[in-house]
């Protein structure tokens, strides 16, 4: 079956532009997670969705970051007025509800110039 | 403050020998621990997990050991194979996973022929 997919795989954008990253979770997975991995760092948790709702958005790095999930499926992570420190690989994961084995997508590599 | 630490950025092991990857944590509320494997340009792949009520979990060539009193876990791979060369991330979770996983920075395992 299909795994978690993310698009685009690579995105280069100019500082100050907005970007939208997309995640398609595994069909039937109710839980969806966004992480980012900066160069030489581990994965940093950003936000979790159970269904369409995100109980806690405090993991988002700043108010320039927002995320939504519609229809209990696709999720988008939007970064407004991008900054160079936003450059990272953004990873999405899904699971069967709030259990522990999360399945990751290949990530979107974002480069802000 | 890093709650999950992998103090060895890299590890080189001869093919056929045992690989031991180590992980330390500081948060005593963590109740579930996982190991993920990551190849370049791919998302992390779930490998093996262990609940805090156990001290060992085995799956084929992979065994995870948990020492709660020392807040330490380790992943043993035996025998090591060339395809095991990858970055290994230790991750931990508390209270059901809604806060996402907390990852270490990873250890790059290199299997020498």
């Amino acid at each position: 079956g299909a795994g978690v997919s993310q698009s685009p795989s690579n995105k280069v954008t100019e500082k100050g532009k907005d970007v939208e990253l997309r995640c398609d979770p595994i069909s039937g997975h109710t839980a969806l997670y966004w992480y980012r991995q900066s160069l030489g760092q581990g994965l940093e948790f950003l936000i979790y969705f159970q269904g369409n709702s995100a109980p806690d958005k405090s993991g988002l790095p700043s108010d320039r970051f927002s995320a939504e999930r519609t229809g209990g499926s696709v999720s988008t992570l939007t970064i407004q007025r991008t900054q160079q420190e936003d450059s990272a690989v953004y990873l999405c994961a899904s699971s069967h509800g709030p259990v522990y084995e999360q399945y990751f997508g290949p990530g979107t590599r974002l480069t802000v110039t | 403050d890093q709650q999950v630490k992998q103090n060895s950025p890299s590890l080189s092991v001869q093919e056929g020998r045992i690989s031991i990857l180590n992980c330390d944590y500081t948060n005593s509320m963590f109740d579930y621990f996982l190991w993920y494997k990551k190849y370049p340009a791919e998302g992390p792949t779930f490998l093996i997990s262990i609940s805090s009520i156990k001290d060992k979990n085995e799956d084929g060539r992979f065994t995870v050991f948990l020492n709660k009193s020392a807040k330490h876990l380790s992943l043993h791979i035996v025998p090591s194979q060339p395809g095991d060369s990858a970055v290994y991330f230790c991750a931990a979770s508390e209270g059901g996973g809604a806060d996402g996983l907390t990852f270490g920075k990873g250890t790059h395992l290199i299997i020498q022929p």
Side-chain angles (χ1 to χ4, degrees), chain A residues 44-58:
Chain A
E44 173 192 5
F45 169 69
L46 300 179
I47 193 167
Y48 154 72
F49 287 91
Q50 179 57 41
N52 289 335
S53 72
D56 182 1
K57 299 182 180 179
S58 64

Side-chain angles (χ1 to χ4, degrees), chain B residues 35-101:
Chain B
W35 284 93
Y36 281 82
K37 175 179 177 180
K38 186 179 184 302
Y39 293 117
E42 295 183 10
T45 302
F46 170 72
L47 202 54
I48 193 169
S49 62
I50 187 167
S51 164
S52 60
I53 62 172
K54 295 186 175 180
D55 55 19
K56 177 183 175 181
N57 188 26
E58 190 173 351
D59 183 2
R61 297 186 298 114
F62 303 92
T63 303
V64 55
F65 295 92
L66 175 63
N67 182 334
K68 280 183 295 184
S69 61
K71 294 192 178 69
H72 177 83
L73 65 155
S74 61
L75 174 67
H76 292 210
I77 306 172
V78 55
S80 301
Q81 299 174 354
D84 296 331
S85 294
V87 177
Y88 288 78
F89 289 98
C90 172
S93 179
E94 63 173 292
D99 291 330
L101 296 172

Side-chain angles (χ1 to χ4, degrees), chain A residues 35 41 45 48 98 100-102 105, chain B residues 32 34 36 43 49 96 99 101:
Chain A
Y35 295 84
Q41 302 295 314
F45 169 69
Y48 154 72
Y100 305 106
E101 287 82 18
Q102 298 175 18
Chain B
Y32 206 82
L34 308 90
Y36 281 82
S49 62
D99 291 330
L101 296 172

